[in-house]
Coordinates of all heavy atoms in Angstrom, one line a residue:
P61 N 93.5 114.7 121.5 CA 92.4 114.8 120.4 C 91.1 114.1 120.9 O 90.0 114.7 120.6 CB 93.0 114.0 119.2 CG 94.4 114.1 119.4 CD 94.6 114.2 120.8
M62 N 91.2 113.1 121.7 CA 90.0 112.4 122.2 C 89.3 113.3 123.2 O 88.1 113.5 123.2 CB 90.4 111.1 123.0 CG 90.8 110.0 122.1 SD 91.5 108.5 122.9 CE 90.2 108.3 124.3
M63 N 90.1 114.1 124.0 CA 89.6 115.0 125.0 C 88.9 116.2 124.3 O 87.8 116.5 124.7 CB 90.7 115.5 125.9 CG 90.2 116.3 127.1 SD 91.6 116.8 128.1 CE 92.3 115.3 128.5
F64 N 89.5 116.7 123.3 CA 88.9 117.9 122.6 C 87.6 117.6 121.9 O 86.7 118.4 121.7 CB 89.9 118.5 121.6 CG 91.1 119.0 122.2 CD1 92.4 119.0 121.6 CD2 91.0 119.7 123.4 CE1 93.5 119.5 122.3 CE2 92.1 120.3 124.1 CZ 93.4 120.2 123.5
L65 N 87.5 116.3 121.4 CA 86.4 115.8 120.7 C 85.3 115.2 121.6 O 84.2 114.8 121.1 CB 86.8 114.7 119.7 CG 87.6 115.2 118.5 CD1 88.1 114.0 117.6 CD2 86.8 116.1 117.5
S66 N 85.6 115.1 122.9 CA 84.6 114.5 123.9 C 83.5 115.3 124.1 O 82.5 114.8 124.8 CB 85.5 114.1 125.1 OG 85.8 115.3 125.8
G67 N 83.5 116.7 123.9 CA 82.5 117.5 124.2 C 82.5 118.1 125.6 O 81.7 118.7 126.2
S68 N 83.8 117.8 126.4 CA 84.0 118.3 127.7 C 84.2 119.8 127.7 O 83.8 120.5 128.7 CB 85.1 117.7 128.3 OG 86.3 117.8 127.5
F69 N 84.8 120.4 126.7 CA 85.0 121.8 126.6 C 84.0 122.5 125.7 O 83.6 123.7 126.0 CB 86.5 122.1 126.2 CG 87.5 121.5 127.0 CD1 88.2 120.4 126.6 CD2 87.8 122.1 128.3 CE1 89.1 119.8 127.5 CE2 88.8 121.5 129.1 CZ 89.5 120.4 128.7
T70 N 83.7 121.9 124.6 CA 82.7 122.5 123.7 C 81.7 121.4 123.4 O 82.0 120.3 123.0 CB 83.4 122.9 122.4 OG1 84.4 123.9 122.6 CG2 82.4 123.5 121.4
P71 N 80.4 121.7 123.5 CA 79.3 120.8 123.3 C 79.4 120.3 121.8 O 79.7 121.1 120.9 CB 78.0 121.5 123.6 CG 78.4 122.6 124.4 CD 79.9 123.0 124.1
P72 N 79.2 119.1 121.5 CA 79.4 118.6 120.1 C 78.3 119.4 119.1 O 78.6 119.6 118.0 CB 78.8 117.1 120.2 CG 79.2 116.7 121.5 CD 79.0 118.0 122.4
E73 N 77.2 119.9 119.8 CA 76.3 120.7 119.0 C 76.9 122.0 118.4 O 76.4 122.6 117.4 CB 75.0 121.0 119.7 CG 74.2 119.7 120.1 CD 74.8 119.0 121.2 OE1 75.7 119.5 121.9 OE2 74.3 117.8 121.5
S74 N 77.9 122.5 119.2 CA 78.5 123.8 118.7 C 79.7 123.5 117.9 O 80.3 124.5 117.3 CB 79.0 124.4 120.0 OG 77.9 124.7 120.9
M75 N 80.1 122.3 117.6 CA 81.2 122.1 116.6 C 80.8 122.1 115.1 O 79.5 122.0 114.9 CB 81.8 120.7 117.0 CG 82.3 120.4 118.4 SD 83.0 118.7 118.6 CE 83.4 118.8 120.3
S76 N 81.7 122.1 114.3 CA 81.4 122.1 112.9 C 80.9 120.7 112.6 O 81.1 119.8 113.3 CB 82.5 122.5 112.0 OG 83.7 121.5 112.3
T77 N 80.2 120.5 111.4 CA 79.5 119.2 111.1 C 80.5 118.1 111.1 O 80.3 117.1 111.7 CB 78.9 119.3 109.7 OG1 78.0 120.5 109.7 CG2 78.2 118.1 109.4
W78 N 81.7 118.3 110.4 CA 82.6 117.1 110.4 C 83.1 116.8 111.7 O 83.5 115.6 112.0 CB 83.7 117.3 109.3 CG 84.8 118.3 109.7 CD1 84.8 119.7 109.5 CD2 86.1 118.0 110.4 NE1 85.9 120.3 109.9 CE2 86.7 119.2 110.5 CE3 86.6 116.8 110.8 CZ2 87.9 119.3 111.1 CZ3 87.9 116.9 111.4 CH2 88.6 118.2 111.6
M79 N 83.5 117.9 112.5 CA 84.0 117.6 113.9 C 83.0 116.9 114.8 O 83.3 116.2 115.6 CB 84.4 119.0 114.5 CG 85.6 119.6 113.8 SD 87.2 118.8 114.2 CE 87.3 119.4 116.0
R80 N 81.7 117.3 114.4 CA 80.6 116.6 115.3 C 80.6 115.1 115.1 O 80.4 114.3 116.0 CB 79.3 117.2 115.0 CG 78.2 116.8 116.0 CD 77.0 117.7 115.9 NE 76.4 118.0 114.5 CZ 76.5 119.1 113.9 NH1 77.2 120.1 114.3 NH2 76.0 119.1 112.6
Y81 N 80.8 114.8 113.8 CA 80.8 113.4 113.4 C 82.1 112.7 113.9 O 82.1 111.5 114.3 CB 80.6 113.1 111.9 CG 79.2 113.4 111.5 CD1 78.9 114.5 110.6 CD2 78.2 112.5 111.9 CE1 77.6 114.6 110.2 CE2 76.9 112.8 111.4 CZ 76.6 113.8 110.6 OH 75.4 114.0 110.1
A82 N 83.2 113.4 113.9 CA 84.5 113.0 114.3 C 84.4 112.6 115.8 O 85.1 111.8 116.4 CB 85.7 113.9 114.1
S83 N 83.6 113.4 116.5 CA 83.5 113.3 118.0 C 83.0 111.9 118.3 O 83.1 111.4 119.5 CB 82.7 114.4 118.7 OG 81.4 114.2 118.3
L84 N 82.2 111.3 117.4 CA 81.7 109.9 117.7 C 82.8 108.9 117.8 O 82.6 107.7 118.2 CB 80.7 109.6 116.6 CG 79.4 110.5 116.4 CD1 78.6 110.0 115.2 CD2 78.6 110.3 117.7
L85 N 84.0 109.2 117.3 CA 85.1 108.3 117.4 C 85.9 108.5 118.7 O 87.0 107.8 118.9 CB 86.1 108.6 116.2 CG 85.5 108.4 114.8 CD1 86.4 108.8 113.7 CD2 85.0 107.0 114.6
S86 N 85.5 109.3 119.6 CA 86.1 109.5 120.8 C 85.4 108.6 122.0 O 84.3 109.1 122.3 CB 86.2 111.0 121.3 OG 86.7 111.1 122.6
P87 N 86.0 107.7 122.5 CA 85.3 107.0 123.6 C 85.1 107.9 124.9 O 84.2 107.5 125.7 CB 86.3 105.9 124.0 CG 87.6 106.1 123.4 CD 87.3 107.1 122.2
M88 N 85.9 108.9 125.0 CA 85.7 109.8 126.2 C 84.4 110.5 126.1 O 83.8 110.9 127.1 CB 86.8 110.9 126.2 CG 88.1 110.4 126.7 SD 89.4 111.7 126.8 CE 88.6 112.6 128.2
R89 N 83.8 110.7 124.9 CA 82.5 111.4 124.6 C 81.5 110.5 125.3 O 80.6 111.1 126.1 CB 82.2 111.6 123.3 CG 80.8 112.1 123.0 CD 80.5 112.3 121.5 NE 79.0 112.7 121.4 CZ 78.5 113.1 120.3 NH1 79.2 113.3 119.2 NH2 77.2 113.4 120.3
Y90 N 81.5 109.3 125.1 CA 80.4 108.4 125.7 C 80.7 108.3 127.3 O 79.6 108.3 128.0 CB 80.5 107.1 125.1 CG 80.5 107.0 123.6 CD1 81.5 107.0 122.7 CD2 79.2 107.3 123.0 CE1 81.4 107.0 121.4 CE2 79.1 107.3 121.6 CZ 80.2 107.2 120.8 OH 80.1 107.3 119.5
Y91 N 81.9 108.2 127.7 CA 82.2 108.1 129.1 C 81.7 109.3 129.9 O 81.2 109.2 131.0 CB 83.5 107.6 129.4 CG 83.8 107.5 130.8 CD1 83.3 106.3 131.6 CD2 84.7 108.2 131.6 CE1 83.5 106.2 132.9 CE2 85.0 108.0 132.9 CZ 84.3 106.9 133.6 OH 84.5 106.8 134.9
I92 N 82.2 110.4 129.4 CA 81.9 111.8 130.1 C 80.3 112.0 130.2 O 79.8 112.3 131.1 CB 82.6 112.9 129.4 CG1 84.1 112.9 129.7 CG2 82.1 114.2 129.9 CD1 84.9 113.9 128.9
D93 N 79.7 111.7 129.1 CA 78.2 111.8 129.0 C 77.6 110.8 130.0 O 76.7 111.2 130.8 CB 77.6 111.7 127.6 CG 76.2 111.9 127.5 OD1 75.7 113.0 127.8 OD2 75.4 111.0 127.2
F94 N 78.2 109.6 130.1 CA 77.6 108.6 131.0 C 77.8 109.1 132.4 O 77.0 109.0 133.3 CB 78.4 107.3 130.7 CG 78.2 106.3 131.8 CD1 77.0 105.6 132.0 CD2 79.3 106.2 132.8 CE1 76.9 104.6 133.1 CE2 79.1 105.3 133.9 CZ 78.0 104.5 134.0
G95 N 79.1 109.6 132.7 CA 79.4 110.0 134.1 C 78.4 111.1 134.6 O 78.0 111.1 135.8
F96 N 78.2 112.2 133.8 CA 77.5 113.2 134.3 C 75.9 112.8 134.3 O 75.2 113.2 135.2 CB 77.6 114.4 133.3 CG 78.7 115.3 133.5 CD1 79.7 115.4 132.5 CD2 78.9 115.9 134.6 CE1 80.8 116.2 132.8 CE2 80.0 116.8 134.9 CZ 80.9 116.8 133.9
Q97 N 75.5 111.9 133.4 CA 74.1 111.5 133.5 C 73.9 110.6 134.8 O 72.9 110.8 135.5 CB 73.8 110.6 132.3 CG 73.8 111.3 130.9 CD 72.4 111.8 130.7 OE1 71.4 111.7 131.4 NE2 72.3 112.6 129.6
V98 N 74.8 109.8 135.2 CA 74.6 109.0 136.3 C 74.9 109.7 137.6 O 74.1 109.7 138.6 CB 75.5 107.7 136.2 CG1 75.4 106.9 137.5 CG2 75.1 106.9 135.0
L99 N 76.1 110.3 137.7 CA 76.5 110.9 139.0 C 75.7 112.3 139.3 O 75.4 112.6 140.4 CB 77.9 111.2 139.1 CG 78.8 109.9 139.1 CD1 80.2 110.2 139.2 CD2 78.5 109.0 140.3
F100 N 75.7 113.1 138.2 CA 75.1 114.4 138.4 C 73.6 114.4 138.4 O 73.0 115.1 139.1 CB 75.7 115.3 137.3 CG 76.0 116.7 137.8 CD1 76.8 116.8 138.9 CD2 75.6 117.8 137.1 CE1 77.1 118.2 139.3 CE2 76.0 119.1 137.5 CZ 76.7 119.2 138.7
K101 N 73.0 113.7 137.4 CA 71.5 113.7 137.3 C 70.8 112.5 137.9 O 69.6 112.5 138.1 CB 71.2 113.7 135.8 CG 71.7 115.0 135.1 CD 71.3 115.0 133.6 CE 71.7 116.2 132.9 NZ 71.3 116.2 131.4
G102 N 71.6 111.5 138.3 CA 70.9 110.3 138.9 C 70.2 109.4 137.9 O 69.2 108.6 138.3
N103 N 70.6 109.5 136.6 CA 69.8 108.7 135.6 C 70.2 107.2 135.7 O 71.3 106.9 136.0 CB 70.1 109.3 134.2 CG 69.3 110.5 134.0 OD1 68.3 110.9 134.7 ND2 69.8 111.4 133.1
G104 N 69.3 106.4 135.2 CA 69.6 105.0 135.1 C 70.0 104.5 133.8 O 70.2 105.2 132.9
F105 N 69.8 103.2 133.5 CA 70.3 102.5 132.4 C 69.6 103.0 131.2 O 70.2 103.1 130.1 CB 70.1 100.9 132.5 CG 70.6 100.2 131.2 CD1 72.0 99.9 131.1 CD2 69.6 99.7 130.4 CE1 72.3 99.2 129.9 CE2 70.0 99.0 129.2 CZ 71.4 98.8 129.1

């Protein structure tokens, strides 16, 4: 469930409203977004 709500397969913007809010309860959402931002885009703090 954490993986499905993380936005890795479906962006949170494409989820239904309650699922989009439920995705905020997945720590994977924050880590995956952090990983792509830092490693893929080279973004900083």
Side-chain angles (χ1 to χ4, degrees):
M62 287 171 50
M63 190 181 299
F64 294 142
L65 292 171
S66 67
S68 56
F69 299 103
T70 303
E73 295 78 12
S74 302
M75 299 178 184
S76 59
T77 303
W78 74 271
M79 291 286 284
R80 188 162 58 249
Y81 286 114
S83 69
L84 297 174
L85 301 177
S86 172
M88 284 187 70
R89 170 176 175 173
Y90 303 103
Y91 182 65
I92 289 175
D93 185 57
F94 163 81
F96 278 116
Q97 290 273 354
V98 174
L99 292 180
F100 220 50
K101 297 182 178 181
N103 288 337
F105 179 81

